[in-house]
Amino acid sequence: MRIIKQLVVGVLLCFIFSSQIQAMEEISNRVYVNRASTKIVSGIANIATGWMELPKNINLWSQRDSNAVIGAAEGLLWGVFHTAGRTGAGVLDFATFWLPTYPTPEPLFVWDDFSQDSDYIGWRTAR
């Protein structure tokens, strides 16, 4: 009898809280096609141009540090990290282009803002 009461309470709790679950935005066909095409194009571009993070980060870190050798070394390490990150994000976006989310890297392409550090924010559905 105790198990049945717990089951009934669990089911009732599911029904009580299910009314508060709703989608954050309406995904229309136009929005879906736009996001899917953006993800597939950015995925292919980031796979092909992920290596550009290496010179970008060497340049950024050399400008930030007063010692050019230390800046270049830090830039090389961060460049390898961001090269792997952008290429991996491109593979992820290419593989999941059918999900209506925004692409992972910020900025979207490596050449969008060459003076900005790259960031990888996963599974954003709205901006």
Side-chain angles (χ1 to χ4, degrees):
M1 191 68 174
R2 183 176 175 190
I3 295 173
I4 294 174
K5 286 181 184 178
Q6 289 176 347
L7 182 64
V8 169
V9 169
V11 169
L12 288 176
L13 286 175
C14 288
F15 283 119
I16 289 171
F17 292 116
S18 67
S19 64
Q20 297 185 17
I21 299 173
Q22 59 183 335
M24 296 300 290
E25 63 180 319
E26 183 74 24
I27 302 294
S28 66
N29 288 338
R30 183 180 54 80
V31 171
Y32 180 81
V33 170
N34 186 20
R35 288 187 187 170
S37 62
T38 301
K39 275 184 75 172
I40 198 165
V41 168
S42 70
I44 292 169
N46 285 325
I47 291 169
T49 62
W51 62 270
M52 290 175 62
E53 285 285 346
L54 191 63
K56 172 185 170 182
N57 279 284
I58 291 172
N59 183 30
L60 284 174
W61 285 91
S62 295
Q63 291 175 358
R64 290 180 187 161
D65 204 323
S66 60
N67 188 344
V69 175
I70 293 174
E74 286 178 330
L76 180 67
L77 293 175
W78 280 107
V80 168
F81 172 75
H82 285 297
T83 296
R86 185 165 293 274
T87 304
V91 169
L92 180 68
D93 287 342
F94 182 72
T96 61
F97 74 92
W98 48 271
L99 291 173
T101 58
Y102 287 100
T104 308
E106 183 69 36
L108 187 56
F109 302 106
V110 70
W111 61 81
D112 279 349
D113 190 359
F114 216 69
S115 63
Q116 179 185 355
D117 283 333
S118 296
D119 193 17
Y120 309 100
I121 305 166
W123 305 107
R124 295 172 292 177
T125 56
R127 287 189 185 190

